[in-house]
Amino acid sequence: MKYACLLYGDESDPVATPEPGSDAFNSMMAGYVAFGEEFDSKIQAGEPLEPVSTATCVRVRDGDTMTTDGPFAETKEQLGGFYVIDADDLDEAIAIASKIPHATLGTVEVRPVPNFEDFD
Amino acid sequence: MTDDVAPDSAQIADIVRDEWAPVVATLVARFGDLGAAEDAAQDATEQALIDWPRSGFPRDPRAWLIVVARRRLIDRMRRNVVGREKTQLAARLDTAIRDMDDDLEAGHDTSLMRDDQLRLIFACCHPALSREAQVALTLRSVGGLSTAQIATAFLVPEPTVAQRLVRAKKKIEAAAIPFKIPPDAELLARTDLVRTVLYLIFNEGYDASSGPAQMRNELCDEAIRLAGLLADLTPDDPESLGLLALFLLIHSRRDARVDETGLVLLDDQDRTQWDRAMIERGVESLDRALRLDRPGPIQVQAAINALHAEATSSADTDWTQIVLLYRRLLDLAPSPVVELNHAVAVAMADGAVSGLALLDDPALATSLDGYSHFHAARAQLLADVGDHAGARSAYERALETVRNDMERDFLSRRLADLSPPIRATP
């Protein structure tokens, strides 16, 4: 069973989002490396994301493509990265998600990824 | 049980209700689909209500219900699949049926069957579900209450409950919430969560703001039944036995707690109306819990209630011991409400002045400012020391924060007793 782990946090909070190069940043990155090694067999994909100020929303209506600057929703906490993991059930997914370094700084949303083979 | 006596529908309903959790649990364990298991258990219940009055009780009602429910569940599953999946399904069903027959032959009171029920309970009270969903699922899937009964008990429209249940079951399915007994490291916390859900169910019955008294009592009875089940399933966990004891001891006072004028305080209750049989069961459960020699906050609360139950009057109550137990509770599970109860016990043991001194703690007063019981207790103690103006304003504050009609009436009466009624100007 696949789960997406979506990492939400306040980009403007230096604790939740440490400055690159700072000690806090380096120890956070070391945490991610350790997490990646420990759960190598469970992690199917994972990427960090640039801040929402770099985001562009795209909508196509009546054949016209419209773009707007910024994220889909202005919220206090923003999506900052994600993993796709493989777990037996929600309990294992929660156990893995709780080991993502970000879980101690912000929020990790765990969302099941549907298996469309089930619908054949 | 003999096959000769034709059982009436109330007797059947009682048995079917007790067998609901094992039947649903075993079907879920073998077929994995909670919604389908409940539908099948419902079918079997209806069949029992038709067949048993004619045929008498089956020798083994649980086995009868499981076999009938299983047949209905399989019929439905077969109807819902098409094409090449039929072969796969047939193989899966054959395995499930064989496994279940083995279980039934081995006798159904095996540890396996108990574990199935625990798995069901832990899934219904899974922390990934909302509190409301946990409560509704536990009442429906473990307790066997209908959607309509849950709606009546919680004073919410039936479609709301139905939707809540559908959404919760969808989440269990889509997010793969497991039907699993948590690993040892999490077992205690997860069992605590189950106890919290049962406590909420009991409290809803006990403290309901309105609704028919009968339904409230039924909800308490149901919470007691579920606590009994949990205590049976977790015999080594003294807090589960403690929870059963606590519910029984509190509920034993149900008839004395309300009279024709409304709510009656513990001190003023007619103790001959207390349910002695229920008190005995409660004390017996508490004794069993205490023998395991691992004290916990629920056992302490049960012990406090046992002391009340054993006293013939408020004056006869061992308030010193109750104060000590509240201190113990403050160590084990500190909270402002426990501090409040401790202060009231101190007032009973050492006099109103000592109790008031504890209640006048500014931090406590701040955290309990929105809690009517705090102001009501303060008002009572202020009245006891002769500060009627203080008591009046405390009752007024209690009335501002009260959320329960019965308590509102009670507080209004207390306030009126305090001061002569003001003549209305024409």
Side-chain angles (χ1 to χ4, degrees):
Chain A
M1 174 101 197
K2 276 195 277 188
Y3 295 87
C5 298
L6 309 174
L7 282 53
Y8 285 92
D10 184 349
E11 288 176 356
S12 63
D13 175 0
V15 177
T17 314
E19 190 70 27
S22 65
D23 287 350
F25 182 84
N26 292 336
S27 83
M28 179 181 83
M29 290 317 289
Y32 276 100
V33 171
F35 172 76
E37 282 168 4
E38 184 178 352
F39 294 101
D40 183 49
S41 64
K42 299 283 178 184
I43 298 170
Q44 303 211 328
E47 300 291 349
L49 298 174
E50 292 288 352
V52 289
S53 58
T54 64
T56 306
C57 285
V58 180
R59 297 171 187 84
V60 178
R61 298 289 182 272
D62 301 325
D64 293 333
T65 300
M66 293 169 290
T67 58
T68 47
D69 176 42
F72 172 67
E74 296 282 356
T75 48
K76 200 168 163 290
E77 298 197 309
Q78 299 84 25
L79 181 65
F82 66 89
Y83 284 100
V84 175
I85 60 166
D86 190 25
D88 286 345
D89 55 39
L90 186 63
D91 283 357
E92 192 189 6
I94 290 171
I96 296 172
S98 71
K99 298 284 176 57
I100 299 174
H102 184 74
T104 61
L105 303 170
T107 306
V108 178
E109 179 180 326
V110 177
R111 287 272 287 274
V113 176
N115 180 0
F116 287 111
E117 284 167 18
D118 288 350
F119 299 111
D120 272 357
Chain B
M1 211 152 296
T2 70
D3 293 5
D4 320 320
V5 186
D8 66 38
S9 52
Q11 289 172 304
I12 296 174
D14 279 350
I15 288 190
V16 166
R17 211 166 180 191
D18 282 340
E19 296 301 338
W20 179 272
V23 171
V24 170
T26 193
L27 292 174
V28 170
R30 296 302 174 195
F31 299 97
D33 185 331
L34 179 57
E38 280 170 12
D39 290 344
Q42 191 64 48
D43 289 345
T45 300
E46 283 159 21
Q47 196 64 49
L49 285 164
I50 297 170
D51 286 7
W52 294 2
R54 291 201 298 253
S55 63
F57 280 118
R59 189 188 309 277
D60 184 343
R62 179 179 296 180
W64 189 98
L65 288 164
I66 288 176
V67 169
V68 171
R70 178 176 80 182
R71 196 180 312 134
R72 298 302 181 87
L73 190 141
I74 289 170
D75 286 349
R76 278 168 200 250
M77 287 177 95
R78 287 213 171 106
R79 247 178 282 137
N80 290 341
V81 294
V82 283
R84 63 187 166 86
E85 282 201 352
K86 269 193 170 159
T87 347
Q88 287 175 327
L89 180 73
R92 259 181 58 211
L93 293 179
D94 283 345
T95 315
I97 292 169
R98 241 192 336 268
D99 289 348
M100 286 177 81
D101 285 343
D102 291 348
D103 293 352
L104 288 172
E105 257 170 54
H108 44 66
D109 206 11
T110 59
S111 59
L112 189 74
M113 203 116 179
R114 299 161 77 88
D115 285 355
D116 284 345
Q117 292 181 68
L118 271 179
R119 290 185 187 103
L120 175 64
I121 292 172
F122 280 120
C124 290
C125 297
H126 195 278
L129 296 168
S130 74
R131 210 20 81 69
E132 287 172 334
Q134 293 168 349
V135 167
L137 267 183
T138 301
L139 286 171
R140 172 69 189 135
S141 307
V142 188
L145 264 65
S146 68
T147 312
Q149 285 172 310
I150 300 170
T152 311
F154 284 82
L155 300 168
V156 284
E158 196 179 330
T160 309
V161 175
Q163 201 186 30
R164 208 173 272 169
L165 286 166
V166 166
R167 206 178 287 152
K169 282 178 218 164
K170 265 194 191 142
K171 179 159 185 184
I172 289 178
E173 166 110 33
I177 288 180
F179 291 90
K180 241 175 26 187
I181 296 172
D184 286 351
E186 290 159 35
L187 189 59
L188 189 63
R190 290 285 304 276
T191 314
D192 272 337
L193 189 52
V194 174
R195 287 189 284 257
T196 303
V197 170
L198 298 189
Y199 191 86
L200 286 174
I201 292 170
F202 183 84
N203 207 44
E204 182 66 26
Y206 180 76
D207 208 21
S209 47
S210 50
Q214 190 204 349
M215 195 59 225
R216 292 198 303 267
N217 280 336
E218 277 175 19
L219 208 50
C220 289
D221 289 338
E222 181 60 22
I224 288 170
R225 212 174 61 82
L226 291 171
L229 176 65
L230 184 68
D232 280 347
L233 296 172
T234 56
D236 301 327
D237 190 330
E239 288 287 87
S240 293
L241 276 165
L243 190 70
L244 176 62
L246 179 65
F247 289 173
L248 288 166
L249 290 166
I250 294 177
H251 201 47
S252 71
R253 303 195 289 262
R254 68 195 176 279
D255 293 335
R257 195 175 159 250
V258 182
D259 68 8
E260 61 283 355
T261 59
L263 214 55
V264 184
L265 280 189
L266 187 60
D267 291 0
D268 305 327
Q269 287 176 12
D270 173 4
R271 296 184 181 215
T272 61
Q273 285 189 47
W274 289 2
D275 183 337
R276 286 287 140 196
M278 203 173 259
I279 289 174
E280 261 173 48
R281 270 183 73 200
V283 170
E284 193 246 341
S285 299
L286 178 61
D287 285 344
R288 276 168 58 207
L290 296 177
R291 277 203 292 276
L292 294 169
D293 203 21
R294 289 200 312 282
I298 301 174
Q299 293 168 77
V300 176
Q301 289 175 71
I304 292 168
N305 279 280
L307 284 176
H308 286 306
E310 282 159 3
T312 53
S313 68
S314 175
D316 174 54
T317 305
D318 188 351
W319 288 106
T320 312
Q321 186 63 30
I322 289 181
V323 169
L324 290 175
L325 286 169
Y326 272 121
R327 281 204 194 125
R328 192 75 206 273
L329 194 53
L330 280 171
D331 286 339
L332 290 167
S335 82
V337 172
V338 176
E339 278 186 62
L340 166 63
N341 291 333
H342 170 246
V344 172
V346 166
M348 296 304 290
D350 303 334
V353 176
S354 313
L356 274 173
L358 291 169
L359 289 186
D360 283 340
D361 175 65
L364 185 63
T366 309
S367 53
L368 290 179
D369 186 47
Y371 188 60
S372 63
H373 294 282
F374 169 74
H375 298 290
R378 235 184 119 246
Q380 171 81 52
L381 296 183
L382 286 166
D384 288 350
V385 298
D387 179 357
H388 284 242
R392 191 168 302 121
S393 67
Y395 275 130
E396 278 160 3
R397 181 71 192 129
L399 280 163
E400 282 165 27
T401 47
V402 75
R403 279 175 302 183
N404 172 323
D405 287 341
M406 214 153 63
E407 283 178 20
R408 180 171 296 112
D409 291 346
F410 171 81
L411 291 168
S412 305
R413 270 187 287 136
R414 284 279 157 146
L415 180 58
D417 289 347
L418 211 55
S419 46
I422 297 160
R423 196 186 303 268
T425 41

